[in-house]
Amino acid sequence: MQEQGSNMRLPEERQSEVRIELVTAAFVASGTPVGVNDLGRFLENLNNPSIAHQIELRDPAVRPLYHATLHADLDSPLLVRREDIVFATFDGPFFARGVVKPPCVQVPVLLMAPPFQISGSLELAANVDATQALRTAMPPFFAVRFARVFDTEGVQLGEGEHIIVNGAAVQMRSATRRVIEAAGAPTTTSKRREVQTEAVEESERSTRAA
């Protein structure tokens, strides 16, 4: 007979599977968040003003922004001030508890949160104006799906299925798939012009050959 509870997973075991990365304008901190077992709980904690204004990370590491090789593994928990977070990545269960959601649609979004551009999609209620929802219906911290992160000049820094963005860090927002592209990266319009130019040149060569 199997012992009762032998296959049960304790909250501490589930929590140990969770790792987050908190990105500020100057540093990147990673570790296991205290009291968080899934993405839903993490968002609840971030959006609850009665909870401490600092995120506690166990087994933390910290590094300067843009310098992944200069990380320091700390021997004590790290406290990160919530309002200084620009965005966060989450590695762990998304929603461990059953959640009933109203009908939603995926809407493209561009967020300017210095020193980053964040492009992805948001889940918004169906039949709402996207721009109006971006103006009034966003919680302080919210999840962006299928996200790509760029620097302000358009160099892509990373991507993730879910990232959490601090709305207070966002200076500009738009319901668009466009981003500021890096210098030298051809835009859709320039690509179209190149194709049209090549087609004309090919036509002229064919005419001369005939």
Side-chain angles (χ1 to χ4, degrees), residues 51-56 78-83:
I51 294 179
H53 292 279
Q54 294 174 323
I55 307 299
E56 182 177 344
L78 178 67
L79 302 176
V80 181
R81 196 164 62 175
R82 183 167 51 185
E83 56 264 36

Side-chain angles (χ1 to χ4, degrees), residues 25-38:
F27 298 99
V28 179
S30 60
T32 299
V34 173
V36 172
N37 298 323
D38 59 78

Side-chain angles (χ1 to χ4, degrees), residues 201-210:
E201 291 174 349
E202 180 63 28
S203 177
E204 290 175 350
R205 285 195 295 269
S206 298
T207 300
R208 287 196 297 269

Side-chain angles (χ1 to χ4, degrees), residues 130-150:
T131 299
Q132 186 64 22
L134 289 176
R135 186 195 309 272
T136 62
M138 303 305 298
F141 286 83
F142 52 88
V144 177
R145 298 197 64 193
F146 313 117
R148 295 180 298 156
V149 179
F150 304 83

Side-chain angles (χ1 to χ4, degrees), residues 101-108 121-134 136-139:
K101 291 185 176 181
C104 294
V105 294
Q106 295 289 329
V107 175
S121 64
L122 293 176
E123 281 192 356
L124 298 179
N127 302 319
V128 301
D129 178 78
T131 299
Q132 186 64 22
L134 289 176
T136 62
M138 303 305 298

Side-chain angles (χ1 to χ4, degrees), residues 56-128:
E56 182 177 344
L57 299 180
R58 299 287 176 85
D59 302 318
V62 64
R63 65 175 176 85
L65 189 65
Y66 305 131
H67 294 283
T69 60
L70 299 180
H71 75 280
D73 295 317
L74 307 183
D75 56 4
S76 182
L78 178 67
L79 302 176
V80 181
R81 196 164 62 175
R82 183 167 51 185
E83 56 264 36
D84 287 331
I85 298 169
V86 179
F87 71 90
T89 64
F90 188 91
D91 182 13
F94 288 161
F95 294 95
R97 302 172 304 282
V99 177
V100 178
K101 291 185 176 181
C104 294
V105 294
Q106 295 289 329
V107 175
V109 67
L110 172 65
L111 305 170
M112 299 298 196
F116 307 106
Q117 302 178 74
I118 300 170
S119 176
S121 64
L122 293 176
E123 281 192 356
L124 298 179
N127 302 319
V128 301

Side-chain angles (χ1 to χ4, degrees), residues 129-209:
D129 178 78
T131 299
Q132 186 64 22
L134 289 176
R135 186 195 309 272
T136 62
M138 303 305 298
F141 286 83
F142 52 88
V144 177
R145 298 197 64 193
F146 313 117
R148 295 180 298 156
V149 179
F150 304 83
D151 67 13
T152 54
E153 296 181 352
V155 176
Q156 185 168 341
L157 304 174
E159 59 186 17
E161 185 176 352
H162 284 86
I163 70 170
I164 298 91
V165 177
N166 179 3
V170 177
Q171 293 182 351
M172 306 176 190
R173 58 189 74 187
S174 176
T176 180
R177 289 188 175 88
R178 295 189 176 184
V179 300
I180 298 173
E181 298 187 352
T187 63
T188 302
T189 301
S190 65
K191 289 178 182 177
R192 189 181 301 116
R193 288 173 180 167
E194 290 172 3
V195 170
Q196 291 172 345
T197 301
E198 290 173 358
V200 170
E201 291 174 349
E202 180 63 28
S203 177
E204 290 175 350
R205 285 195 295 269
S206 298
T207 300
R208 287 196 297 269

